[in-house]
Amino acid sequence: MRSHYSFNEMRDALQRCGLNRGDTVLCHSNVGFFGRPKEGGTAEIIVQTILGAFQEVLGPDGTIIVPTFTYSFCKGEEFDPENSSSKMGLFAEMLRRHPLARRSEDPIFSVAALGARSQELTENAPQECFGKNCFWERLLNADGVICFMNLDLNYCNFNHYVERCLNVPYRYDKLFTGYITKNGIKKKSSAIHFCRDLSNPGTLQSVELLTETAVREGALRSCPVGRGQLVCIRAAEIYCLTEQGFKSNPWFMTVSAKAAKPPILITAPDVKQFNISLQPDASMEEMIEALWPLPRDIVSDGYDAALSVLSGQVPMIIHEYATGT
C-alpha cells in the first residue's frame, strides 16, 4: 500500500517550521489528512509516528500539549478528567490516554500535556477559562509554539485569551455550572467562558487579517508533509499581531468590517445610595458579590444601578425609554 510520509520526514518538517529542543508546543490536529505513514496505517502507528517525531525534536525538556475540549458544562454534562473523551480528534484523544500525560480539570477547555512542563501547565485550572493564570496565559509565559496540523488559525483558541486580555466589545463572560467527577467523587463546580455575542452574526471569528499579517511579518512558518502541511507560530507572535490589529480595528478578529462604536454609558441618578464600589475589570465573583444585594424588580432603582455598574465593566449600550413608550 502506498505511503505518503515517514517519521523522518515529519521530524524534518517540524524542525523547518522552527521547533527547537525544549520548546513547549500546543498541537491542533487533523492527522488523517497527512495520509499513510511509511511505518504503517493503524491509528496507533500514525499517532506514534507523529508523537515520536515531536519528542525527538523537542527532547526531554520539551512538552507537547493537545486540546482535549469537551464543552461539558456548556452542554449540561458532567466532566470527568480521567474518562471524559476529547472532542478534538484522534491525535488529541490518544495523547490524552497516554499513561504519562496530565490533563487539566477545565470542564470546557481542558488540555492534556506530555513532557517536562506537563504538571505546571495543567494543574489548578482556574474558574475563568481565559482569565488570570489559565492554561493560555501559562502557554504564553512559556514562550509556547502553536502548531496546526492540516488546520488553520481558525482553530486557535489562544485567540480568545488574547481577546479577553484586550477586552474586545463582542465577547462577554458567561457563567456555566455543573459537576466534576474525580476519583469517583462528584462535586458541583463552575466555569466562566468568554463567549461571543451569538445574536450578532458580525461577531463570527475570522482570522483572515491575522493570517495575512502573520505571513507578511514572517511569523507564520509552514512546511508540507505527505498530503498536508504543518503551520507553526509562537503564541507571543499571535498576541502581538492581534494587539496591533485591535488598535486600528476592535473587530479585527471577526467577519465584521464595521469599526466598533464606543459604548454609550449612562449613570442612574440613584446609584450612589447603594454604595457600590468596584474596580475596573472586576472578576465575575466580585461583580456578583457587589450586585447581589440590590433590589431586582424589573422597574426599580436597583435594576438601574446594576446596569450602570455593569456598563463600567464591559462595553454595553443602555437605552432609556419613557414609561408607556
Side-chain angles (χ1 to χ4, degrees):
M1 187 177 292
R2 181 188 173 191
S3 63
H4 302 90
Y5 68 100
S6 66
F7 171 91
N8 289 340
E9 290 171 334
M10 179 64 69
R11 177 199 61 206
D12 294 346
L14 291 169
Q15 291 173 330
R16 288 198 296 274
C17 277
L19 297 191
N20 302 306
R21 294 184 72 80
D23 271 341
T24 296
V25 184
L26 170 66
C27 297
H28 293 275
S29 61
N30 175 11
V31 296
F33 201 78
F34 286 128
R36 189 179 192 273
K38 180 180 179 181
E39 289 72 17
T42 67
E44 290 77 11
I45 291 176
I46 291 171
V47 170
Q48 189 50 53
T49 298
I50 297 171
L51 177 59
F54 271 101
Q55 290 175 319
E56 183 164 318
V57 171
L58 301 179
D61 295 328
T63 306
I64 181 170
I65 312 128
V66 291
T68 54
F69 308 160
T70 59
Y71 310 104
S72 298
F73 281 13
C74 298
K75 298 187 295 184
E77 298 175 354
E78 295 180 13
F79 176 64
D80 183 338
E82 293 293 325
N83 299 302
S84 293
S85 299
S86 162
K87 308 299 181 186
M88 305 306 291
L90 172 69
F91 188 72
E93 176 61 9
M94 293 193 73
L95 194 144
R96 177 189 77 81
R97 296 180 183 179
H98 193 288
L100 298 179
R102 291 178 175 269
R103 189 186 196 181
S104 65
E105 295 181 11
D106 186 319
I108 301 176
F109 297 106
S110 66
V111 298
L114 181 65
R117 308 186 75 161
S118 59
Q119 181 173 348
E120 67 181 87
L121 289 166
T122 58
E123 66 182 355
N124 301 322
Q127 184 187 36
E128 293 191 48
C129 302
F130 298 100
K132 185 174 178 57
N133 197 37
C134 67
F135 161 73
W136 312 99
E137 181 177 280
R138 300 178 198 183
L139 179 69
L140 178 64
N141 291 339
D143 192 26
V145 180
I146 304 176
C147 179
F148 302 91
M149 293 190 270
N150 306 311
L151 297 172
D152 61 25
L153 293 181
N154 268 308
Y155 292 85
C156 182
N157 287 78
F158 177 77
N159 293 340
H160 303 326
Y161 167 72
V162 182
E163 290 172 316
R164 181 69 182 83
C165 292
L166 300 178
N167 197 25
V168 297
Y170 49 86
R171 286 185 174 268
Y172 64 97
D173 286 326
K174 183 173 181 178
L175 180 68
F176 292 88
T177 60
Y179 290 91
I180 294 178
T181 299
K182 187 176 179 182
N183 300 323
I185 300 173
K186 185 164 68 174
K187 183 178 179 181
K188 191 169 185 179
S189 187
S190 61
I192 298 171
H193 177 12
F194 193 49
C195 302
R196 72 177 181 88
D197 179 6
L198 296 177
S199 68
N200 183 353
T203 66
L204 280 168
Q205 176 173 278
S206 172
V207 297
E208 184 176 351
L209 290 177
L210 174 62
T211 303
E212 290 176 358
T213 306
V215 171
R216 185 172 62 248
E217 297 292 328
L220 204 62
R221 295 161 291 278
S222 63
C223 185
V225 180
R227 299 183 307 186
Q229 72 169 350
L230 293 169
V231 176
C232 293
I233 184 171
R234 292 204 174 260
E237 292 172 317
I238 291 181
Y239 194 107
C240 181
L241 295 175
T242 303
E243 186 175 36
Q244 290 173 8
F246 183 77
K247 287 177 180 177
S248 60
N249 184 359
W251 295 77
F252 176 73
M253 291 289 289
T254 71
V255 297
S256 177
K258 180 182 68 174
K261 298 178 180 179
I264 300 172
L265 305 180
I266 65 168
T267 302
D270 296 322
V271 171
K272 291 182 180 178
Q273 70 171 304
F274 293 108
N275 262 342
I276 301 171
S277 177
L278 273 178
Q279 297 296 320
D281 298 322
S283 68
M284 182 70 77
E285 292 91 339
E286 290 169 334
M287 285 191 278
I288 291 172
E289 185 177 354
L291 300 180
W292 182 259
L294 293 173
R296 290 188 294 278
D297 299 344
I298 289 297
V299 181
S300 70
D301 291 339
Y303 190 81
D304 290 341
L307 284 176
S308 180
V309 170
L310 289 173
S311 71
Q313 298 292 326
V314 295
M316 67 166 62
I317 299 173
I318 302 174
H319 298 279
E320 284 189 318
Y321 299 94
T323 302
T325 331

